[in-house]
Amino acid sequence: MPKKTLSTKEKLLAAATELFIQKGFDRVGVREIAAKAGINLSLMNYYFQSKERLLEHIFEKIIISKATHLKQILDSNISLEDKIKKYTTEYIDVLIDNPLIVSFFLAILHRNPEKIVAMASIRTLYNSEVFCKQLEDEMKAGRIRQVDPEQVFICIVSLVIFPFAIKDLIMDRNNFSSSEFNKFSQQRKEVVSQMVLNFIGLK
Amino acid sequence: MPKKTLSTKEKLLAAATELFIQKGFDRVGVREIAAKAGINLSLMNYYFQSKERLLEHIFEKIIISKATHLKQILDSNISLEDKIKKYTTEYIDVLIDNPLIVSFFLAILHRNPEKIVAMASIRTLYNSEVFCKQLEDEMKAGRIRQVDPEQVFICIVSLVIFPFAIKDLIMDRNNFSSSEFNKFSQQRKEVVSQMVLNFIGLK
DNA sequence: GTCTATACGGCGATAGAC
DNA sequence: GTCTATCGCCGTATAGAC
C-alpha cells in the first residue's frame, strides 16, 4: 500500500537525484537540494550523513538496479558470441536510458578512487571471472585466438562506456542532436560486438 | 639568457603544476598552492583570474605540446595501417607519461562540458578530418571494409583513453602495482591496433 | 523520531592600501 | 606588483523545540 505523499526522505532523494542528473554532482549545493525538496537543510545530514553519502546512496541504487542484469548476462551459460553481443547491446541500452550513470561514475572515480574501488556494486559489475574463464576455455579448445581475457574485457567496457563520457564532444563534432547521438549509439552496438568478435577470431 | 630566480608567476605555475599532478584537480586548494609557491594568496587571482583558469592554463600548455604531435600523425601522409599503429602507440605513451591529462579532462568534462568542447586544444586533437577522408578513400578503393569513419575514430580513442580513466579499478582487480599497470598499457598498444586493423579489414 | 534555527570552519575570490 | 583584510558561499555540526 503505497503512500500518496512522499516522506521527507523520499522528497530529499527525488530532489537530489533530479538535480544531480541535471547539473552534475559538483554543481549542486546542499541548500539548493533542500530548497527543491522543500525541507530544512539539516534534514539532509539527519537522514544521510553528508552530501557525498547522499550521492553514494543514489548512485548505488541506480547502479545496482542496472548492474545486476548486466552481470547476469556475463555469468550466464550462453555461447561466447551471443554473450558478447547481448552484453554490449544491453549495456549500451542502459547508458542511453541513464546518461547519469557515466558522469556519476567518472566523477566519483576521479574525486575518490578508493571509494569506487570499495563499492560492492562496482566490484560486482566489474568482476568478470566467469567471462574470463569462458574465454580461456575457448582458447584451450582452439575455437578462438590466443588473447589476454583481461584486455578483452577492458576493450569491451571501453568501447561501450567511453563514447557516453565524451557525448558532448561527439555531438559537437558531428552536429548531432540528442536523438542523433542516440542513433549513433544504437549503431555502436553492431560496431562494438563486431570489433570484439573479430579480434578474438569469431566471425 | 634565462633568469636564475623564478618570477612570481613562474613560481606559481611550478607549484600549481606539481600539486595538481600529485593530487588531482579537486584535491588541491588555492591556499595550498600559494603556500607551496611561497607567495601571497591574492597573487594567484592577480596573475590568473581564478583557480580554474590557472589549471586550464596548465592543462592547455601540456595538452598543446602533446596534442600537436598526435595530430600530426593523424594528418600525416603514411599508410592507414602504419598510421593507426603509430597513433595508438604514441597516444598510449603520452598517457602513461602524463596521467594528469586524463584526470583533468574528466574533471572538466563533469564540471563544465561546454568548456571542454570550446577548448581549442581539444578541438584540434579531436578533429579527424584527414583520417576520416583517408578511411573513405581506402573504402572506395576496396582495400578495406565499409565502415563509418566516425565510429572507427571513436573506437580508437575509447580503447586508448578509457583504461587510464579506470586505472584504479584495473589495478585493484588485478592487484597491479603502478609499474604493472604501465606494462599492461604497453601491451594494449598491440591489442588496440590489432583490434582496429582487424575491424576495418586490414591484417 | 522529526524538524528548526543557527553557528562554525574552510573555501575561492576581491577591494583597496601601499 | 604585492599585501592585508574581508566577503560570501559552501558543507557540516549541534542545541533544542515539537
Side-chain angles (χ1 to χ4, degrees):
Chain A
M1 177 167 130
K3 281 180 289 184
K4 291 199 176 160
T5 54
L6 294 175
S7 71
T8 301
K9 194 172 176 179
E10 287 164 336
K11 282 191 285 186
L12 193 47
L13 276 172
T17 305
E18 196 176 325
L19 284 172
F20 281 151
I21 294 173
Q22 276 173 16
K23 311 175 70 172
F25 178 71
D26 294 316
R27 297 171 80 128
V28 13
V30 288
R31 284 165 179 84
E32 190 183 356
I33 296 172
K36 176 162 185 128
I39 60 152
N40 186 282
L41 168 62
S42 313
L43 291 176
M44 210 204 67
N45 284 84
Y46 173 70
Y47 288 109
F48 308 89
Q49 290 82 339
S50 65
K51 177 188 171 186
E52 199 161 319
R53 276 187 186 271
L54 171 58
L55 170 78
E56 279 168 35
H57 187 89
I58 294 170
F59 181 71
E60 286 247 21
K61 228 170 75 177
I62 295 172
I63 285 279
I64 287 170
S65 67
K66 308 299 173 186
T68 309
H69 178 231
L70 292 172
K71 188 61 186 349
Q72 277 169 0
I73 297 173
L74 221 48
D75 289 353
S76 69
N77 198 15
I78 58 178
S79 75
L80 195 55
E81 183 179 335
D82 287 348
K83 186 176 286 192
I84 289 170
K85 281 184 182 171
K86 197 158 190 246
Y87 186 70
T88 58
T89 297
E90 306 211 6
Y91 208 146
I92 288 174
D93 276 332
V94 166
L95 298 184
I96 289 175
D97 294 340
N98 305 273
L100 157 79
I101 292 181
V102 173
S103 152
F104 256 28
F105 176 76
L106 293 177
I108 298 181
L109 192 58
H110 173 253
R111 173 181 325 270
N112 207 337
E114 322 86 50
K115 187 154 284 170
I116 277 274
V117 164
M119 284 173 74
S121 52
I122 296 287
R123 295 186 80 90
T124 303
L125 184 54
Y126 282 89
N127 173 348
S128 54
E129 261 183 47
V130 175
F131 178 73
C132 286
K133 198 183 168 309
Q134 188 172 8
L135 268 174
E136 270 157 13
D137 289 345
E138 296 288 306
M139 282 192 280
K140 276 180 199 145
R143 285 190 289 266
I144 62 169
R145 279 188 46 212
Q146 293 294 319
V147 290
D148 177 350
E150 178 69 11
Q151 291 280 8
V152 173
F153 185 72
I154 296 298
C155 285
I156 295 175
V157 296
S158 298
L159 289 167
V160 167
I161 300 172
F162 193 68
F164 289 94
I166 57 168
K167 177 177 177 176
D168 295 270
L169 272 175
I170 295 175
M171 286 177 63
D172 180 71
R173 266 175 23 117
N174 299 280
N175 289 315
F176 281 168
S177 65
S178 253
S179 71
E180 282 168 329
F181 178 80
N182 285 352
K183 195 181 154 203
F184 181 77
S185 300
Q186 291 292 346
Q187 290 164 348
R188 276 195 74 73
K189 293 177 179 176
E190 186 64 19
V191 171
V192 173
S193 9
Q194 273 309 312
M195 186 171 273
V196 175
L197 289 175
N198 277 357
F199 179 69
I200 62 179
L202 285 173
K203 298 204 112 182
Chain B
M1 178 167 131
K3 282 181 289 183
K4 289 197 177 164
T5 54
L6 294 174
S7 71
T8 301
K9 194 174 177 179
E10 286 165 338
K11 280 191 286 187
L12 192 48
L13 275 173
T17 304
E18 195 176 325
L19 283 173
F20 181 27
I21 292 173
Q22 275 171 16
K23 310 176 71 170
F25 179 77
D26 295 312
R27 301 167 89 122
V28 19
V30 289
R31 284 166 177 84
E32 190 181 3
I33 295 173
K36 176 159 186 133
I39 59 149
N40 185 283
L41 168 62
S42 311
L43 291 175
M44 206 207 69
N45 287 89
Y46 173 72
Y47 286 109
F48 306 90
Q49 289 83 338
S50 67
K51 173 190 169 185
E52 199 162 317
R53 275 183 187 272
L54 169 59
L55 296 182
E56 276 169 39
H57 185 90
I58 295 169
F59 178 70
E60 287 250 18
K61 229 169 75 178
I62 296 171
I63 280 283
I64 287 170
S65 67
K66 308 299 172 184
T68 307
H69 178 230
L70 291 173
K71 187 64 186 348
Q72 276 168 1
I73 297 173
L74 220 49
D75 289 353
S76 69
N77 198 15
I78 59 178
S79 75
L80 195 55
E81 183 178 337
D82 286 348
K83 184 175 288 191
I84 290 170
K85 281 184 181 170
K86 196 158 191 245
Y87 187 68
T88 59
T89 297
E90 306 211 5
Y91 208 146
I92 288 174
D93 277 333
V94 165
L95 298 184
I96 289 175
D97 293 340
N98 305 273
L100 158 76
I101 293 180
V102 175
S103 151
F104 184 83
F105 182 76
L106 293 177
I108 294 286
L109 197 57
H110 173 250
R111 182 181 321 264
N112 207 339
E114 323 86 52
K115 187 157 283 171
I116 279 275
V117 167
M119 285 174 73
S121 53
I122 296 285
R123 295 185 78 90
T124 303
L125 186 52
Y126 282 87
N127 173 349
S128 54
E129 261 183 47
V130 175
F131 178 72
C132 286
K133 196 181 172 311
Q134 186 171 9
L135 268 175
E136 269 156 14
D137 289 345
E138 295 289 304
M139 281 191 278
K140 277 182 198 143
R143 284 190 289 268
I144 62 170
R145 278 187 48 213
Q146 293 294 318
V147 291
D148 177 352
E150 178 69 12
Q151 291 281 7
V152 174
F153 185 71
I154 297 298
C155 286
I156 295 174
V157 296
S158 298
L159 289 167
V160 167
I161 300 172
F162 193 68
F164 289 94
I166 57 168
K167 175 177 177 175
D168 295 270
L169 271 175
I170 294 174
M171 287 177 65
D172 179 70
R173 268 176 21 119
N174 299 282
N175 290 316
F176 281 167
S177 66
S178 252
S179 72
E180 281 168 330
F181 177 81
N182 284 352
K183 195 179 153 205
F184 182 78
S185 299
Q186 291 291 345
Q187 290 164 349
R188 276 195 74 72
K189 293 177 180 175
E190 185 64 20
V191 172
V192 173
S193 8
Q194 272 310 312
M195 186 171 273
V196 175
L197 290 175
N198 277 357
F199 179 69
I200 62 178
L202 285 173
K203 296 207 113 182

